[in-house]
Amino acid sequence: MWNNSWSIKEGIMACGGLIAIGLVLYLCTGPVEWSSFAWPLDLYILGFYVAALIILFLLRKKLYFVRWAMSYNAAVPALVAVAFMTFLMGMIKQVPVSVSAGDVSIFHRMISFWPFILVYLWMATIVGLVSIKHLVSFRLSGIPFLLNHLGLFIALLAATLGSADMKRLTMNTRIGQTEWRATDYDGNLYELPLAIELLNFSIDEYPPKLMLIDNATGNALPSGSPEHLMLEDGVKSGKLCGWNIEVLDKIELAASVNGQDTIKYVEWPSTGATYAANVRAVSADGKNVASGWVSPGSFLFPYQALRLDSICSLVMPDREPRRYSSDVIIYTESGKKCNETIEVNNPAEIEGWKIYQLSYDETKGRWSDISVFELVKDPWLPAVYVGIIMMMLGAVCMFVTAQKNNTQKNSES
Amino acid sequence: MISWDYFIYFAALSVLLWIAGAWKAFKGARKSACAFTATGLLVFGTFIGLLWLSLERPPLRTMGETRLWYSFFLPLAGLITYIRWKYKWILSFSTILSIVFICVNLLKPEIHNKALMPALQSPWFAPHVIIYMFAYAMLGAAAIMSIYLLWIKKNPSEDKEMSLCDNLVYVGLAFMTLGMLTGAVWAKEAWGHYWSWDPKETWAAVTWFSYLTYVHLRIGMSNKRKAALYILLLSFVFLQMCWWGINYLPAAQGSSVHTYNMN
């Protein structure tokens, strides 16, 4: 076996063997509990693993296995195996971590499945070994290779080992109150070294839309690709499935008032107000005419549809949020105090915590007085970013040198 | 203001120009081939720009809108390849493929409204998707090349042709890597984590590793040309899964945060 002529066959066997060992490990020990790798265990593992790789590399002259592991005969099958295990993961629905592990089969949680992990570990080992090799015999022309491989190695290791140290907590806040407690996925309550006072929560909405729905099924029309008419400023009329729609009146903040036999809307600038539009609809042939108010409703008022004929009705769906944001004051244990506006895609950052706008009281929509934040602490993030930036630079190098590499290769051959 | 109703006119003019360019390329008139194709790109690009203005957001949210970019980048990738490697037929191929995507957009129009959910309102949005679309176009061209070598020419023996494949993949993979990593940085800002094994991310990883297999096979075992070309095609199938296939894949239903074209 040690006849120094290992080829791609041994590479395939290595991956097959790792998958088999992984299955045995799974049957003996069950799924991998990533949360048990928390600090400082992950640091020890990292140190041990990198040291092991360096020692293996130093012994490469004696160990044919190491020299083979740094060859394409090992790399190509490892990549195929990684792609295959990830492919399986893509074909099988994965269950989020918020569902408790006891309820799901292992295939629905591939990241805890030993064969999946071992195959990735094997790839990481190869990538680590060739990175060391290129670091030791450093050449300028080897920089793109190093950026790509070492970058992936750092990002992969930091992301995997650091996952146990990451905290993701949810915090509910109410306008005017200060909150310092948050819960994790399992509902455990944590007291944080920081507190958030919600000063204000606001939602900008897109203009409301008019749509037709089927009276019998409630589905939007035409089914499959529903049409809509957006009531932007200046829009006075439009067409929906042949119906000519004319907007007679619209009220941004309205309340519904029951008349004798109809419902009408009046100005009402107060919490719980809804949008309302008075419209007139004429069918394509001009025979059917309907007019009246439509409104998406709010937590105070019911929605209002306008029945056009026996087939369809005109409705105004809930307005879509354009932007929602929370004005907060953040207090830290160390006595810091800062004002921030937190919105989607614009988290606040303080003392290692990132604070994200997650949600609000959706039953109240724009009148919500509750804002929900997600608080994330990921101490390994800087290392992951180092890896990501290296890979980005590596990708730029790959793009720039694509042509050059090939000409070299061709001239060599 | 411009709307999708005008698409057919812009598209028709662009397609005519691209066909003229492809014809000139066949005839060996390189300068006019480039000029026609570039003018076609200008017309098509103008439509995208005007649509961007009238929607008041980048036209990148729905599948129809990403197809729009794809139909733009294909002839662009074709033009770059033509200028660099002088293949007479590449412009015809890129034009035909682009026409397919234009026809899909004409025959299966989607609702295009102005609403852009808060999660997409980010400076990362446009670069992330545009970089990916350019990568897809490059890798699409590589897939066409592999079909040509495997079944039309039936003999991938010429170094020049294999190195065209390699270069298209290098450029495509470089952009795909950038697309994936900008996505990771954006995800950290928007969703709190850079990688969540969301179905779109999982399939992006499958695609990425698959193209990496091609690259390593080509460098390490350059005589295995047919195997490499089959991997190239398989990778492109994975890419389709990542791009739109997961919208129909049962395993990805209801669990992806990457679905934005629901109305």
Side-chain angles (χ1 to χ4, degrees), chain A residues 8 72-73 75-77 79-80 82-83 86-87 89-94 111 116 120 123 149 152 158-160 166 168 206 209 224-228 230 232 320-324 344-347 354 356-357 374 376 378 381 384-385 388 391-393 395-396 398-399 402-407 409-410 413, chain B residues 56 61 84-85 109 111-122 124 134 159 163 166-167 170-171 173-175 177-178 180-182 184-194 196-197 202-203 205-206 208-210 212-213 216-221 224 231 238 241 249-255 263:
Chain A
I8 194 163
Y72 289 97
N73 285 329
V76 172
L79 277 167
V80 172
V82 165
T86 318
F87 169 80
M89 186 182 193
M91 292 303 286
I92 304 167
K93 192 177 181 119
Q94 300 296 302
I111 45 169
F116 182 88
Y120 266 81
M123 181 190 70
H149 290 81
L152 176 64
T160 313
M166 192 168 103
R168 293 186 83 161
Y206 282 101
K209 295 182 293 191
S225 58
E227 291 177 9
H228 69 256
M230 200 181 235
E232 294 172 89
E320 292 170 85
R322 186 198 301 266
R323 170 176 180 268
Y324 47 100
V344 179
N345 268 312
N346 190 12
K354 277 193 174 228
Y356 296 85
Q357 178 74 58
E374 181 172 44
V376 181
D378 185 0
L381 186 66
V384 176
Y385 273 5
I388 286 181
M391 285 168 78
M392 282 182 166
L393 294 173
V396 173
M398 177 155 60
F399 171 64
Q403 179 52 27
K404 213 171 112 193
N405 287 346
N406 255 297
T407 14
K409 210 169 63 197
N410 286 340
S413 64
Chain B
E56 296 161 25
R61 197 195 61 162
R84 181 62 193 77
W85 286 279
I111 316 91
H112 302 276
N113 70 28
K114 283 186 179 177
L116 188 64
M117 40 291 279
L120 292 184
Q121 292 170 24
S122 159
W124 291 104
F134 183 74
D159 283 342
S163 81
D166 294 348
N167 278 309
Y170 280 134
V171 175
L173 184 63
F175 274 79
T177 307
L178 285 173
M180 192 165 71
L181 297 175
T182 52
V185 176
W186 179 16
K188 181 70 198 170
E189 290 304 296
W191 297 326
H193 201 27
Y194 44 83
S196 321
W197 292 109
T202 304
W203 282 100
V206 176
W208 194 66
F209 285 121
S210 190
L212 283 179
T213 309
H216 286 80
L217 192 68
R218 285 293 299 140
I219 300 175
M221 301 158 199
K224 290 192 168 30
I231 289 173
F238 291 149
M241 196 63 160
L249 185 74
Q253 294 315 303
S255 54
N263 270 277

Side-chain angles (χ1 to χ4, degrees), chain A residues 17 75 147 157 179 236 240 247 285 296 314 345 347 357 361 375 403:
Chain A
L147 287 172
L157 237 59
E179 183 59 85
K236 291 264 188 286
L240 278 177
V247 181
D285 54 14
L314 187 69
N345 268 312
Q357 178 74 58
D361 182 351
L375 291 91
Q403 179 52 27

Side-chain angles (χ1 to χ4, degrees), chain A residues 256-259 261-265 292-293 302 304:
Chain A
S256 69
V257 182
N258 288 324
D261 51 354
T262 54
I263 285 178
K264 65 172 198 160
Y265 285 78
W293 289 88
Q304 181 65 39

Side-chain angles (χ1 to χ4, degrees), chain B:
Chain B
M1 286 306 258
I2 203 144
S3 74
W4 276 92
D5 300 338
Y6 296 92
F7 177 56
I8 190 162
Y9 306 113
F10 281 86
L13 183 57
S14 303
V15 166
L16 281 178
L17 286 162
W18 289 334
I19 290 175
W23 178 252
K24 286 287 177 191
F26 253 120
K27 291 276 162 195
R30 294 195 60 217
K31 271 190 185 157
S32 45
C34 293
F36 274 121
T37 310
T39 317
L41 284 169
L42 197 67
V43 173
F44 206 88
T46 308
F47 176 76
I48 296 180
L50 291 173
L51 190 69
W52 190 323
L53 283 178
S54 86
L55 284 173
E56 296 161 25
R57 63 168 175 83
L60 294 162
R61 197 195 61 162
T62 64
M63 285 303 290
E65 287 164 2
T66 53
R67 278 196 291 266
L68 188 66
W69 288 88
Y70 201 66
S71 353
F72 175 77
F73 280 131
L74 273 170
L76 180 66
L79 183 64
I80 294 171
T81 318
Y82 177 68
I83 292 173
R84 181 62 193 77
W85 286 279
K86 306 178 182 72
Y87 287 105
K88 285 181 174 182
W89 49 269
I90 190 81
L91 286 179
S92 317
F93 265 114
S94 60
T95 303
I96 289 169
L97 214 65
S98 180
I99 290 173
V100 170
F101 282 90
I102 288 171
C103 288
V104 175
N105 262 359
L106 285 171
L107 299 174
K108 192 179 164 292
E110 291 180 30
I111 316 91
H112 302 276
N113 70 28
K114 283 186 179 177
L116 188 64
M117 40 291 279
L120 292 184
Q121 292 170 24
S122 159
W124 291 104
F125 178 38
H128 173 62
V129 185
I130 291 174
I131 286 173
Y132 255 121
M133 283 303 124
F134 183 74
Y136 287 5
M138 281 300 189
L139 297 170
I144 291 168
M145 192 68 197
S146 65
I147 290 173
Y148 169 75
L149 290 176
L150 278 173
W151 289 295
I152 297 172
K153 202 175 167 228
K154 291 185 179 154
N155 179 19
S157 57
E158 252 191 75
D159 283 342
K160 194 181 157 202
E161 285 164 343
M162 280 312 282
S163 81
L164 169 67
C165 272
D166 294 348
N167 278 309
L168 287 171
V169 172
Y170 280 134
V171 175
L173 184 63
F175 274 79
M176 180 188 254
T177 307
L178 285 173
M180 192 165 71
L181 297 175
T182 52
V185 176
W186 179 16
K188 181 70 198 170
E189 290 304 296
W191 297 326
H193 201 27
Y194 44 83
W195 192 271
S196 321
W197 292 109
D198 173 89
K200 194 103 176 174
E201 294 169 0
T202 304
W203 282 100
V206 176
T207 314
W208 194 66
F209 285 121
S210 190
Y211 277 110
L212 283 179
T213 309
Y214 171 86
V215 167
H216 286 80
L217 192 68
R218 285 293 299 140
I219 300 175
M221 301 158 199
S222 53
N223 56 337
K224 290 192 168 30
R225 294 193 166 180
K226 280 212 162 162
L229 291 175
Y230 281 117
I231 289 173
L232 194 50
L233 276 182
L234 185 67
S235 308
F236 196 63
V237 173
F238 291 149
L239 193 153
Q240 302 310 309
M241 196 63 160
C242 177
W243 185 9
W244 52 269
I246 57 161
N247 294 347
Y248 305 94
L249 185 74
Q253 294 315 303
S255 54
S256 178
V257 283
H258 271 96
T259 41
Y260 296 114
N261 42 352
M262 305 302 172
N263 270 277

Side-chain angles (χ1 to χ4, degrees), chain A residues 156-219:
Chain A
L156 207 57
L157 237 59
T160 313
L161 287 172
S163 65
D165 292 332
M166 192 168 103
K167 287 196 179 63
R168 293 186 83 161
L169 307 171
T170 307
M171 177 190 273
N172 289 298
T173 57
R174 190 179 284 273
I175 290 179
Q177 293 180 4
T178 305
E179 183 59 85
W180 63 94
R181 292 156 304 177
T183 52
D184 65 10
Y185 287 128
D186 300 327
N188 303 316
L189 196 69
Y190 290 80
E191 296 208 357
L192 299 172
L194 56 87
I196 300 176
E197 180 182 356
L198 182 62
L199 300 177
N200 190 26
F201 175 76
S202 60
I203 298 188
D204 281 353
E205 291 170 315
Y206 282 101
K209 295 182 293 191
L210 290 173
M211 294 178 99
L212 291 182
I213 57 164
D214 188 309
N215 285 338
T217 63
N219 292 336

